[in-house]
Amino acid sequence: MRLEAITWERLGDLLAERLLDLEPGDAGPWPRVAFDGAPAARPGDLAERVSQALRPLGRPSLVVGAEGFLRPASLRLEHGHRDVESYYDGWLDTGALWREVFGPLEPGGDGRVLPDLRDPATDRATRSPRVRLPPGGLLLLHGPLLLRHWFPFDLSVHLMLSPGALRRRTPEEDHWTLPAFERYEAEADPAGTADVLVRADDPRHPAWRG
């Protein structure tokens, strides 16, 4: 696997330029982009960087974090606070994402997206107002384990960490989640299926293929 060294600033600029020509696969007016990666890889940082690079290019975008669409704690923690199967299959409220984020961006939708549903820290509804994404605006959704849910992404970016880097950069209290990412690599092969691959082992010196 050949990857090219790059800076985060240059990577954000190049991805923004690429997204200018991105056409939705369903012929709708809103392209949808995944920034997939373990929390330790900080995919949200790259999504925000791309959003900022799109502004001077005249392309609106909306950054949405999957952590704002977790199921209620009573459901996701039903089998305990460190249940790997639940983390892998049951933490993300995929139905809410389809309904509140992807649904409004389907052909004929009104483009009014709910940016978050539930605060993951307080487990309370955020009551955030909907945000209208104008035609041509880009959805930039970031979070872990995204490429296994059949979401209708028009382009996917996977931030990859080696097993050693993932362990080093994941807080010790969250090491119980590591088997979920091993399973994700084996079952979904995000590094092989993503349109753009970013190796983020060294947070100062990323490399990419895209």
Side-chain angles (χ1 to χ4, degrees), residues 31-47:
R32 297 141 302 191
V33 183
F35 290 82
D36 173 68
R42 305 183 67 85
D45 289 358
L46 182 56

Side-chain angles (χ1 to χ4, degrees), residues 44 47-48 62-70 92 97 101 114-118 139-144 146:
E48 291 286 356
L62 176 64
V63 178
V64 174
E67 71 273 7
F69 289 88
L70 297 183
L92 187 63
L97 273 172
V101 177
L114 192 67
D116 48 53
L117 181 64
R118 188 176 301 277
L139 170 69
L140 310 180
L141 177 66
H142 63 85
L146 291 179

